[in-house]
Amino acid sequence: MSRTAAHPTLALVPQPTRPVRPSRPLVPALSLTLLLSWGSLYYAFAMLLPPLLADLHWSAASAMGAYSTALVVWGLCTYPAGRFIARFGGRCAMTLGSCLCGVLLVALSGTQSLWGFYLVWIGLGVGMALTLYEPAFAILVEAWPRAYRRRMSVLTLAGGLASTAFWPLTHVLVANIGWRAAVLVYASIHLFVCAPLHWFALPRSRPGGRPTPADGGAPASSMPRPSTRLALRSPAFWLMAFSFTAFGFVTSAMATHVIPMLESKGVAPLTAIAIAALIGPMQVAGRSTDLLLVGRLHPLAIGAVTVALIPVALAALWASPSAFNLLYVFAVLYGAGLGLLTIVRATAPAEIFGTAGYAAISGALSGPSVLARAAGPLAGTYLIAMNNPYDTVLLVLLVCSVGGAAAFLLGARGRAP
């Protein structure tokens, strides 16, 4: 049975067909730029915040508000960015994004006013939409519409190392040259490393941003333009959007509250940190496992396992007072699920809706998820402020994850509930 027959919604979007030869350094170049972009735009802020507050005498809430605003803008821009990529190509989008981020980081290094700080981060939210996973995945799908999975896993491994590299790097830079000079270093990285790599290593797109696949097919002139409207009419699209949004909310809330949740179980602070520290290595282990499974399991089968791991992990944490070892079960399962979830969010749209029009469809699916990631920590904090115990917060997140898993399973089957 063909893949189209197995998944009816594949017929919604025409499949790309024209063979091309992507440049050999494409995957290494994207891996390096994702490592640098995630590190400087997303992870470095936590290390820049204390010296910034000491210098400018702002409240932590005011500065964090600017960063949260950037995440909201990122979410709002994912669909327009996907449309831009579909029209002009990923090479143009990512190069423009790196130049934008470089210029804005130069402005950030000289900021003195809070309103200027917010304007810079609003612009950086646009830059995130043009430089992080979504456009990179779209480029891989265009270049290898039938062989993108392994390459996506490689990119997520590189992105997963960003916090490991940039937290200590930012600390060293701030300690030796100050936070403003450290930001200038990151601006230089975007302008003189990422932008040239995006321009020279990424493939050129044909007029109209039509995909130029590397694995066979008919002339590009025979390809109809991809239609996002058809995908939007599919119940599978809305099920996937709900699933990704639910998991975005859950994982962002857990990132902020996991250590207090562990401590609420009667665990000593150092033990809680040690258990939470297992999550990072298990993310890498999960993504490495996906690399080994490419070609052995269908991406949607891996997705079904992934969406089950997170609610099972949260259930283990919720039940842990009666079994201390369940805390370690939680860390292992949650970390593995978290690592695989990034790959599932990237591969599921292509497997369900096809590879033509991937950039726009993936952007439309990612937007609500990014917004949910901005809302998750705030919602958890609000529930705690209302004198709810952490078990109540955890139960809310468990229910959300179960709903997200059910929506994914129904969406993967291409039918409404």
Side-chain angles (χ1 to χ4, degrees), residues 35-413:
L35 171 67
L36 297 174
S37 296
W38 274 104
S40 58
L41 298 175
Y42 190 83
Y43 290 108
F45 183 80
M47 305 303 298
L48 294 170
L49 185 60
L52 183 150
L53 296 179
D55 180 22
L56 297 172
H57 308 291
W58 297 337
S59 68
S62 296
M64 282 299 297
Y67 182 71
S68 297
T69 301
L71 298 184
V72 171
V73 172
W74 175 16
L76 293 174
C77 287
T78 51
Y79 177 67
R83 297 295 297 173
F84 183 90
I85 293 167
R87 178 67 181 88
F88 298 102
R91 175 177 180 252
C92 180
M94 296 196 78
T95 304
L96 176 63
S98 290
C99 291
L100 176 64
C101 290
V103 171
L104 288 170
L105 288 173
V106 171
L108 179 63
S109 71
T111 190
Q112 297 291 341
S113 63
L114 188 59
W115 67 266
F117 188 70
Y118 269 75
L119 285 178
V120 167
W121 277 103
I122 288 171
L124 287 174
V126 178
M128 290 177 184
L130 292 170
T131 57
L132 298 181
Y133 278 143
E134 289 84 1
F137 292 153
I139 289 171
L140 293 188
V141 171
E142 280 195 356
W144 291 282
R146 297 182 182 89
Y148 55 83
R149 272 191 65 205
R150 186 181 298 276
R151 294 171 176 91
M152 281 185 177
S153 297
V154 171
L155 294 193
T156 59
L157 282 173
L161 295 173
S163 61
T164 303
F166 272 78
W167 281 338
L169 174 61
T170 306
H171 174 75
V172 170
L173 289 174
V174 169
N176 288 277
I177 62 176
W179 75 269
R180 294 183 186 274
V183 171
L184 281 177
V185 170
Y186 292 156
S188 300
I189 287 175
H190 281 275
L191 292 172
F192 303 117
V193 180
C194 294
L197 282 174
H198 288 152
W199 185 253
F200 292 108
L202 272 54
R204 298 174 182 270
S205 293
R206 300 183 185 278
R210 295 180 182 179
T212 52
D215 38 14
S221 59
S222 67
M223 288 177 49
R225 293 177 66 85
S227 173
T228 310
R229 293 181 181 178
L230 291 174
L232 291 172
R233 295 173 188 164
S234 166
F237 176 90
W238 298 105
L239 287 165
M240 284 293 163
F242 177 84
S243 177
F244 296 161
T245 301
F247 281 114
F249 179 83
V250 168
T251 56
S252 66
M254 287 298 296
T256 306
H257 296 287
V258 63
I259 292 178
M261 283 181 180
L262 290 167
E263 292 176 350
S264 73
K265 302 295 182 180
V267 176
L270 289 178
T271 304
I273 293 171
I275 294 172
L278 287 175
I279 294 174
M282 290 310 302
Q283 289 187 64
V284 176
R287 292 171 182 176
S288 301
T289 301
D290 181 77
L291 271 174
L292 298 175
L293 294 176
V294 171
R296 294 184 174 91
L297 285 179
H298 193 280
L300 294 179
I302 295 177
V305 174
T306 299
V307 298
L309 285 175
I310 291 178
V312 170
L314 295 179
L317 179 57
W318 188 68
S320 57
S322 59
F324 182 78
N325 288 338
L326 286 178
L327 295 177
Y328 292 96
V329 173
F330 154 74
V332 170
L333 296 182
Y334 183 78
L338 191 60
L340 288 168
L341 190 60
T342 301
I343 301 172
V344 171
R345 280 197 297 254
T347 58
E351 294 299 324
I352 295 174
F353 303 105
T355 53
Y358 173 89
I361 294 171
S362 177
L365 287 170
S366 298
S369 173
V370 176
L371 292 174
R373 290 206 295 269
L378 297 176
T381 301
Y382 175 78
L383 287 173
I384 294 300
M386 297 295 290
N387 296 318
N388 291 294
Y390 270 108
D391 271 355
T392 300
V393 178
L394 187 55
L395 187 59
V396 170
L397 298 180
L398 176 57
V399 171
C400 287
S401 68
V402 170
F408 180 91
L409 295 175
L410 289 172
R413 295 178 63 182

Side-chain angles (χ1 to χ4, degrees), residues 16-36:
T17 51
R18 174 105 185 222
V20 296
R21 298 179 183 276
S23 61
R24 289 183 179 180
L26 172 57
V27 173
L30 279 176
S31 297
L32 177 59
T33 60
L34 283 174
L35 171 67
L36 297 174

